[in-house]
Amino acid sequence: MEYAEPYGSGADLLKGSMVLSPLAPFGKYVNVCRGLGINGFNNHEAVAGVLTGVKDGAGADSIDHIIAQALGVEAHNLGANPYPRNQDGTGFDKNSYLIKHGGVWVRPTEDPAAAAASMLGAIGGGQQGGGSEPASDEAAFRNEALGLTERQLERMQGALSGLTKEQKKLAVHLESVRSIKAAADRPVMNGCTSKPALPALDALAGKDVFAQKNLRSVIDAHLEVAANAMVCGTARVVTMQNLWVNCDLPMDFEGGPGSGNPYHGATSHSREAPGRMEFASIQSWFFARLAEKLLTILDQPDPLDPGNTVLHNSLIYVCSEIGDGADHNSDVHDVYLGNQIVHSYLPAILIGNAGGRIASRGVVDVDTDHVNMLATLGDAMGVPVSQLGAQSARPIQELKS
């Protein structure tokens, strides 16, 4: 935390921050939110509550799903997770899942090529360019096919009565089909008439997305795909998860931050200045990737609203379940490092103005529970959120325009 500050203000916002200086060119869009904490659960188990708002995600879906359902669009979930394939078949344990859709924890899409197919695949086809609608016979065929799929999935749900795990998997597929049907008659608003150039994705071709040496390439490609989908308007809700709980990779891969120490244990846990500075430099590297491969692309006139940039019309939330690695806390409290006291809270940064719904105020002392940040995200997207599981929530007024 001490290497994130000083934040500065005005034209100098973030320029003096070791961690956040890559965001300085986009300072007019940034809110650094101080004082956000999670109450009632702590440490890495908090990852399940970062976007659901409640411990273990009990009775709640993640905010991306809530927003996407209200908007009638798909919530895309990307992941740069070069885990060993021998870890339970997925690389995640129960404390690593971030996204929950329809009551089921969702594994992120690790391959940027698959993400591109999902988010940019329609460009150049029948449903693109200026919101043109598909031909009526295509629409009828699509709706009939989706109806057939829905009925098949409903019958399979009945046949799997009592097999809870399999029923949950089918529930996610069934909900996805129903969402597609609900949105099927909406015109596709698309600012691109041809697929955008994706050099980072092209450079990844033929490489193993699970190989640790390719982590930078995977991160860059995911961010590039997401940015272009946001520019084109073909993806409206996207999350991206970097690494996973207890990830202990050395960060000395090609094009990385150059740290040969294990990321989780030796670096993030450090209470000594050299280790904490090394961890801060790694976080700065992640922000540099975000700035170069996402924010730079978004800081251009919006094809669907040329008077504003795509970044002005978007809202990006950068967050973590851990406030300070030394204590591995998720609440707001003071961390004692010898003679130094560091005031710790959850990292929470908003970038973009959500089309004018979020004001850019630089550094904002919010001093509140993190569920209220989730309600703020919903409110910014025109989706009121007053309850997450059993937890009440309200938008943070200091962030609103």
Side-chain angles (χ1 to χ4, degrees):
M1 196 64 71
E2 68 271 29
Y3 293 104
E5 299 184 7
Y7 297 123
S9 61
D12 293 325
L13 180 68
L14 306 181
K15 288 182 179 179
S17 169
M18 177 178 176
V19 174
L20 299 177
S21 57
L23 301 183
F26 309 97
K28 68 179 181 179
Y29 298 109
V30 173
N31 283 301
V32 179
C33 305
R34 297 191 297 196
L36 204 68
I38 292 177
N39 296 312
F41 50 103
N42 208 25
N43 208 307
H44 283 310
E45 70 171 357
V47 70
V50 168
L51 296 183
T52 64
V54 293
K55 184 177 181 179
D56 297 326
D61 286 321
S62 49
I63 190 65
D64 65 309
H65 181 72
I66 294 170
I67 292 172
Q69 288 289 292
L71 298 180
V73 299
E74 183 176 354
H76 300 275
N77 180 20
L78 316 181
N81 298 300
Y83 46 72
R85 299 296 288 169
N86 60 0
Q87 289 185 340
D88 82 359
T90 67
F92 291 95
D93 63 20
K94 67 181 181 65
N95 286 332
S96 290
Y97 283 97
L98 180 68
I99 301 299
K100 193 177 181 188
H101 293 176
V104 180
W105 293 107
V106 180
R107 169 180 161 181
T109 299
E110 295 97 348
D111 188 350
S118 176
M119 293 193 285
L120 293 166
I123 297 176
Q127 298 186 56
Q128 55 83 37
S132 57
E133 296 186 11
S136 59
D137 57 338
E138 291 179 356
F141 175 79
R142 178 193 59 214
N143 288 333
E144 184 176 351
L146 287 171
L148 177 62
T149 302
E150 183 179 13
R151 291 192 296 274
Q152 288 174 328
L153 288 172
E154 288 171 342
R155 286 196 295 270
M156 289 175 70
Q157 269 195 321
L160 287 171
S161 178
L163 299 178
T164 306
K165 183 177 180 180
E166 298 305 320
Q167 279 186 310
K168 286 183 176 180
K169 290 180 180 178
L170 277 176
V172 173
H173 293 307
L174 182 57
E175 184 177 13
S176 297
V177 168
R178 287 172 174 165
S179 296
I180 293 171
K181 281 187 66 181
D185 293 328
R186 294 188 180 97
V188 178
M189 299 304 294
N190 184 334
C192 302
T193 57
S194 61
K195 290 184 180 179
L198 301 170
L201 181 64
D202 293 340
L204 187 62
K207 297 181 180 179
D208 181 0
V209 298
F210 295 106
Q212 298 174 14
K213 65 181 181 180
N214 296 326
L215 180 57
R216 172 172 172 163
S217 297
V218 172
I219 290 173
D220 284 358
H222 268 317
L223 291 172
E224 178 184 76
V225 168
N228 280 282
M230 292 168 71
V231 170
C232 292
T234 54
R236 297 184 65 189
V237 181
V238 184
T239 59
M240 181 170 169
Q241 178 178 354
N242 288 315
L243 308 180
W244 64 96
V245 167
N246 293 325
C247 170
D248 224 5
L249 299 179
M251 304 295 282
D252 56 357
F253 47 85
E254 182 179 355
S259 169
N261 291 317
Y263 176 71
H264 176 256
T267 309
S268 75
H269 281 268
S270 181
R271 307 187 78 88
E272 305 298 327
R276 292 174 70 82
M277 183 177 290
E278 182 177 5
F279 187 68
S281 69
I282 294 172
Q283 303 315 304
S284 181
W285 179 85
F286 278 109
F287 279 109
R289 305 323 311 140
L290 179 74
E292 179 180 337
K293 291 300 180 181
L294 186 86
L295 303 184
T296 299
I297 295 174
L298 298 184
D299 195 17
Q300 63 172 292
D302 190 333
L304 299 173
D305 179 22
N308 292 297
T309 65
V310 182
L311 192 49
H312 170 82
N313 287 337
S314 304
L315 185 61
I316 299 158
Y317 178 42
V318 184
C319 61
S320 172
E321 82 276 17
I322 298 295
D324 192 287
D327 282 4
H328 262 45
N329 61 295
S330 304
D331 59 351
V332 177
H333 79 205
D334 291 333
V335 177
Y336 291 84
L337 305 170
N339 295 326
Q340 183 183 16
I341 300 175
V342 175
H343 188 58
S344 173
Y345 43 86
L346 290 182
I349 299 168
L350 293 179
I351 310 169
N353 303 113
R357 296 189 181 209
I358 295 293
S360 294
R361 296 197 168 98
V363 181
V364 184
D365 291 312
V366 294
D367 298 321
T368 189
D369 193 276
H370 85 295
V371 296
N372 296 326
M373 179 61 81
L374 303 184
T376 303
L377 301 181
D379 182 71
M381 296 296 108
V383 180
V385 176
S386 59
Q387 192 86 14
L388 290 161
Q391 184 79 26
S392 60
R394 55 179 173 76
I396 300 171
Q397 296 301 313
E398 293 87 343
L399 295 171
K400 298 177 67 173
S401 295

